[in-house]
Amino acid sequence: LTSLPNLKVLSLPVNYLRGTLPPLTSTVLEDLDLKGNHLNGTLPALPPSIKFLALADNQFVGDVKGLAALPHLDTLDLSVNYFTGHFS
């Protein structure tokens, strides 16, 4: 994923992916759908171009402070994870 700088859409729901989410270097990524996998760990910094983010039904942990850096985000689904802290 670090070698796809022009990637706009990444849709891999329900594929039994495991491990942590690698850094996403695309500066044009708008749609990221990884729901229903077995991804874990904390969220890496996400490209500010993200508009649609679906990470539901994984095993992510930690806070979601980094979402404040996504000015174009209009759809967000983080349900069924293990996030902590405040959402503001």
Side-chain angles (χ1 to χ4, degrees):
L1 295 179
T2 59
S3 62
L4 300 170
N6 298 314
L7 185 68
K8 283 191 173 188
V9 176
L10 179 59
S11 182
L12 293 168
V14 193
N15 275 287
Y16 303 101
L17 299 175
R18 296 184 181 276
T20 59
L21 185 59
L24 301 167
T25 58
S26 171
T27 58
V28 295
L29 186 64
E30 295 179 353
D31 296 352
L32 180 59
D33 186 352
L34 297 173
K35 64 182 170 276
N37 284 289
H38 298 282
L39 299 170
N40 58 37
T42 58
L43 291 182
L46 298 168
S49 55
I50 293 278
K51 294 180 181 181
F52 176 91
L53 182 61
L55 300 176
D57 200 18
N58 279 287
Q59 298 157 4
F60 288 110
V61 298
D63 61 49
V64 291
K65 292 177 188 172
L67 297 178
L70 304 176
H72 305 290
L73 186 66
D74 61 25
T75 304
L76 175 64
D77 186 358
L78 299 177
S79 59
V80 193
N81 279 286
Y82 301 98
F83 291 112
T84 57
H86 296 282
F87 188 82
S88 57

